[in-house]
Amino acid sequence: MISRRSFALTLAMAVLSAPALAASGRKGALKMLDPDNDGTVDLAEAKKAAANLFAKLDPDHDGTLDARELRGRLTAKELAAADPDHDGTLTLDEYLAVVEQRFKAADPDNDGTLDVKELNSRAGRALLRLLK
């Protein structure tokens, strides 16, 4: 049986290490999205990752993603805003448009690339939700 003190210490260690784990997860995401290993992600790399993920998220192969297939990557409001034909689904082009929009939001210096710091921003984390 675990003591209260042991439980409290374990919980404290988990809470204190959460930011480090999240940061290391984003570094891992950068490595995964950065095939040329230059330490940044450009828009082409982000779109390539998004297109590959789109194919995996579309198990019925109908060429669209609905709210269920998006699995929390977009809120209902975000899905509605990204869905210009209002059919409740996103085509690959519509999905890539959202990726591009979020990429640009995460690139405040407009250098066309995202580094770990930019991926760690709120806008960067929103982009990563679309790419994981």
Side-chain angles (χ1 to χ4, degrees):
M1 181 173 196
I2 189 167
S3 71
R4 283 187 191 185
R5 180 183 166 107
S6 179
F7 176 76
L9 287 172
T10 302
L11 181 61
M13 288 173 48
V15 168
L16 292 173
S17 66
L21 290 174
S24 69
R26 283 183 281 283
K27 287 179 186 175
L30 175 63
K31 191 170 189 165
M32 178 184 72
L33 298 171
D34 183 24
D36 62 4
N37 296 312
D38 68 351
T40 63
V41 176
D42 62 34
L43 183 57
E45 291 168 332
K47 283 186 167 184
K48 182 176 180 180
N52 290 337
L53 179 62
F54 185 96
K56 291 177 186 172
L57 294 176
D58 185 22
D60 58 4
H61 305 291
D62 67 352
T64 64
L65 298 179
D66 59 29
R68 183 186 49 79
E69 291 167 327
L70 286 165
R71 295 184 190 101
R73 287 174 173 81
L74 293 173
T75 65
K77 184 177 179 180
E78 291 168 334
L79 175 57
D83 181 19
D85 57 6
H86 307 292
D87 66 352
T89 66
L90 295 183
T91 64
L92 177 59
D93 287 340
E94 292 167 345
Y95 191 71
L96 293 178
V98 176
V99 169
E100 184 169 350
Q101 176 187 24
R102 289 193 178 181
F103 183 95
K104 289 179 178 180
D107 186 23
D109 59 5
N110 294 312
D111 69 351
T113 63
L114 302 178
D115 58 21
V116 172
K117 182 179 176 186
E118 289 166 321
L119 288 172
N120 194 32
S121 70
R122 184 176 183 183
R125 291 189 308 270
L127 172 65
L128 288 177
R129 278 194 304 276
L130 292 177
L131 303 178
K132 288 184 173 179

